[in-house]
């Protein structure tokens, strides 16, 4: 067993860390949280520096990095700037993965080189207002046109991250009216955002302000059949195994936020005084720090293990979910302890701790709720399905 990263991976981490230090000052990141803007210029810089091609095949201009490389980059970005870490996970990691696995040659050459150049952004639309956990209750329907060349999409999606700035909305639709099972008859369409009949409404949220999420309405939206990704009616079975592995990337985002909270808390403890000494002398706060570090390290080991398994081409759904369950709980707990250590200042917007706390909270809800992660693990351990 070898716990060391390779020399290349250490250099990759240093390179991203330097990019973040030089290009993403804390003040700017705070500003983004207020304006809710997407940092397009920085995204383009990431493309110019070759970061956006990291997981992509050399054939399409990428550098063929592994899942472990992805985790390193995501962790470092999330430590400072979620506005880049989240699209890097969704637009680059996930889109490259699904288009590479399921796309036709034409789709691959249309989409993937553009991802690498920063030319397009994407989002994934599964959830509907009727429920995200029970995602198979979805009703958005795509009907074939009479000439069979197009789909006509009607319905709506809810809480879709980055929909307002995406060029393509990867939309899960029903393509069978009366499927024998709820998981049958689902297809994935790459819907251009500027299609006639689409309306997008941003929703106000608690954290992660610079990666807005939206409600999308589709009213008789015409989508070319060339934009069907994978097999018609078989989308659920084709996409789910690919998405399960992505939980590792979301675990890495939790790790980045938690590490930032940990470092800020430790620094604050060495500066703030009470009863004539700095507060890092108080044993109970020292114990908080010990707990924070232990939780972060445990989450990191599970995340790196899941990333390593995927890098080795092994089955990863269980381990990626374990990592995600641990990290989504961990970031909630670590940022809460961080706030406790900063006392009243932790609850002000003068410090970043409240942002870490807001940003980290959502991972117990999305992309998967804590309860559903536990259901998945219990079922994988042979327990009967509880719902
Ligand atoms: C910030 C954010 C970004 C998002 N981005 C996207 C996106 O880009 N694309 C997308 O498609 N969706 C997105 N979502 C939606 C997200 O995936 C859902 O919010 C999530 O799956 C939960 O669904 P829900 O909100 O409908 O809650 P519900 O499904 O209504 O769940 C409510 C509660 O019931 C519990 N529950 C439900 N069923 C069970 C069960 N069988 N056993 C035990 N407990 C159960 C849940 O765990 C939860 O605690 C996003 C959500 C948020 C908050």
């Amino acid at each position: 067993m070898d716990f060391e990263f390779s020399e290349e991976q250490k250099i990759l981490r240093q390179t991203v860390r330097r990019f973040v230090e030089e290009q993403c000052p804390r003040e700017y990141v705070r500003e983004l949280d207020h304006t809710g803007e997407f940092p397009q210029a920085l995204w383009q810089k990431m493309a110019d520096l070759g970061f956006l091609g990291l997981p992509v095949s050399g054939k399409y201009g990428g550098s063929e990095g592994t899942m472990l490389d992805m985790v390193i980059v995501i962790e470092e970005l999330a430590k400072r700037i979620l506005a880049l870490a989240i699209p890097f996970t969704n637009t680059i990691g996930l889109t490259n993965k699904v288009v590479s696995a399921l796309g036709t040659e034409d789709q691959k050459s249309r989409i993937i080189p553009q991802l690498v150049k920063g030319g397009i952004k994407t989002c994934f639309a599964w959830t509907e207002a009727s429920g995200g956990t029970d995602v198979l209750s979805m009703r958005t329907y795509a009907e074939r046109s009479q000439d069979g060349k197009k789909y006509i999409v009607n319905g709506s999606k809810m809480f879709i991250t980055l929909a307002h700035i995406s060029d393509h909305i990867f939309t899960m639709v029903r393509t069978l009216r009366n499927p024998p099972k709820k998981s049958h008859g689902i297809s994935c369409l790459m819907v251009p955002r500027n299609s006639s009949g689409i309306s997008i409404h941003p929703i106000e949220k608690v954290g992660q302000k610079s990666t807005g999420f939206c409600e999308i309405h589709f009213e008789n939206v015409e989508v070319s059949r060339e934009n069907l990704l994978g097999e018609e009616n078989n989308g659920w079975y084709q996409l789910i195994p690919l998405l399960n592995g992505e939980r590792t990337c979301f675990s890495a985002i939790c790790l980045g936020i938690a590490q930032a909270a940990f470092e800020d808390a430790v620094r604050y403890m060495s500066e703030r005084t009470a009863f004539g000494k700095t507060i890092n002398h108080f044993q109970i706060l020292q114990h908080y720090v010990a707990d924070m570090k232990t939780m972060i390290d445990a989450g990191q080991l599970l995340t790196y293990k899941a990333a390593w398994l995927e890098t080795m081409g092994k089955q990863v759904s269980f381990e990626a979910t374990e990592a995600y369950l641990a990290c989504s709980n961990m970031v909630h707990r670590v940022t809460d302890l961080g706030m406790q250590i900063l006392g009243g200042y932790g609850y002000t917007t003068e410090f970043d701790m409240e942002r870490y706390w807001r940003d980290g909270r959502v991972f117990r809800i999305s992309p998967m709720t804590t309860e559903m992660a536990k259901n998945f693990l219990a079922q994988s351990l042979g327990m009967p399905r509880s719902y």
Side-chain angles (χ1 to χ4, degrees):
M1 195 175 278
D2 183 357
F3 286 97
E4 269 295 334
F5 282 112
S6 69
E7 280 313 307
E8 290 78 12
Q9 285 164 336
K10 288 180 191 165
I11 292 169
L12 177 66
R13 192 183 286 281
Q14 286 309 326
T15 311
V16 185
R17 202 168 276 179
R18 201 165 47 242
F19 167 78
V20 166
E21 280 304 322
E22 289 172 2
Q23 306 288 338
C24 317
R26 276 177 184 254
E27 278 311 318
Y28 176 62
V29 176
R30 283 178 196 154
E31 207 179 297
L32 287 179
D33 190 55
H34 290 297
T35 60
E37 272 172 26
F38 178 73
Q40 182 58 40
L42 282 177
W43 187 249
Q44 196 50 56
K45 258 190 196 139
M46 283 184 67
D48 298 343
L49 291 168
F51 290 139
L52 301 190
L54 182 68
V56 170
S57 147
K59 183 175 170 192
Y60 301 108
S63 50
E64 308 202 346
T66 64
M67 186 52 128
L68 264 172
D69 299 334
M70 286 294 286
V71 161
I72 290 171
V73 174
I74 293 169
E75 244 187 305
E76 292 302 320
L77 291 175
K79 230 168 136 177
R80 175 64 60 84
I81 178 161
L82 273 196
L84 294 177
I86 289 177
F88 186 72
T89 300
N90 272 8
T91 281
I92 302 303
L94 195 48
T95 310
N96 172 60
K97 191 182 256 186
V98 300
V99 176
S100 300
L102 306 177
T104 60
E105 202 41 60
D106 171 61
Q107 289 170 338
K108 288 182 200 172
S109 49
R110 260 195 297 140
I111 302 278
I112 302 178
Q114 285 301 320
L115 292 178
V116 177
K117 289 182 197 152
I120 56 170
K121 288 184 282 302
T122 57
C123 62
F124 284 78
W126 289 79
T127 307
E128 299 189 1
S130 56
T133 310
D134 184 10
V135 72
L136 286 173
S137 66
M138 71 174 75
R139 285 197 293 262
T140 298
Y141 189 72
E143 182 134 37
R144 286 258 204 113
S145 62
Q146 289 209 326
D147 60 10
K149 291 185 181 161
K150 283 182 271 184
Y151 292 99
I152 317 291
V153 183
N154 280 288
S156 60
K157 295 286 172 182
M158 189 59 135
F159 302 145
I160 309 307
T161 303
L162 299 171
H164 57 311
I165 55 158
S166 289
D167 302 275
H168 295 278
I169 303 170
F170 284 58
T171 311
M172 308 314 140
V173 293
R174 290 217 161 269
T175 35
L176 268 188
R177 283 270 180 222
N178 296 305
K181 268 175 87 176
K182 282 209 291 187
S183 48
H184 290 195
I186 289 180
S187 308
C188 178
L189 298 180
M190 299 185 291
V191 184
R193 178 176 56 104
N194 57 10
S195 307
S196 164
I198 291 193
S199 53
I200 297 182
H201 310 278
I203 305 168
E204 194 61 37
K205 62 180 151 103
V206 171
Q208 304 190 355
K209 300 273 192 182
S210 48
T211 52
F213 71 168
C214 310
E215 185 169 5
I216 311 174
H217 292 284
F218 302 85
E219 199 179 334
N220 295 322
V221 177
E222 296 187 1
V223 182
S224 161
R225 271 214 85 201
E226 287 169 12
N227 284 7
L228 169 70
L229 183 69
E231 289 164 25
E232 191 180 61
N233 296 326
N234 209 17
W236 178 261
Y237 301 102
Q238 289 191 313
L239 277 151
I240 285 294
L242 299 170
L243 298 183
N244 286 347
E246 287 308 291
R247 290 172 197 153
T248 310
C249 292
F250 287 102
S251 307
I253 297 182
C254 296
L255 284 172
I257 300 171
Q259 286 169 68
F262 173 78
E263 286 173 16
D264 284 12
V266 169
R267 192 176 325 110
Y268 186 84
M269 284 169 73
S270 68
E271 292 163 0
R272 176 78 171 166
T273 54
F275 299 95
K277 44 185 155 180
T278 50
I279 61 172
N280 59 6
H281 284 85
F282 301 131
Q283 191 186 39
I284 190 158
L285 299 193
Q286 294 177 359
H287 287 189
Y288 290 166
V289 167
D291 282 342
M292 289 161 88
K293 179 74 174 126
T294 305
M295 286 187 281
I296 292 170
D297 285 354
Q300 212 165 32
L301 283 174
L302 285 169
T303 305
Y304 292 169
K305 181 182 171 196
W308 176 82
L309 282 170
E310 182 155 343
T311 299
M312 294 292 122
K314 295 181 195 276
Q315 193 25 268
V316 75
S317 295
F318 187 86
E319 287 79 2
T321 309
E322 271 186 320
Y324 183 70
L325 177 62
C327 287
S328 53
N329 280 324
M330 175 277 291
V331 69
H332 180 197
R333 186 85 185 104
V334 165
T335 53
D336 190 62
L337 284 172
M339 189 174 274
Q340 198 63 27
I341 288 171
L342 265 67
Y345 287 107
Y347 202 64
T348 69
T349 53
E350 201 179 313
F351 287 79
D352 291 326
M353 195 60 78
E354 61 85 28
R355 196 181 73 247
Y356 304 143
W357 183 68
R358 286 187 284 115
D359 286 349
R361 178 60 182 87
V362 78
F363 292 106
R364 293 188 54 216
I365 299 170
S366 177
M368 187 186 213
T369 64
T370 307
E371 296 75 22
M372 230 26 207
K374 290 183 184 177
N375 283 345
F376 178 89
L377 293 174
Q379 266 175 251
S380 307
L381 292 168
M383 308 277 159
R385 192 178 154 115
S386 59
Y387 55 97

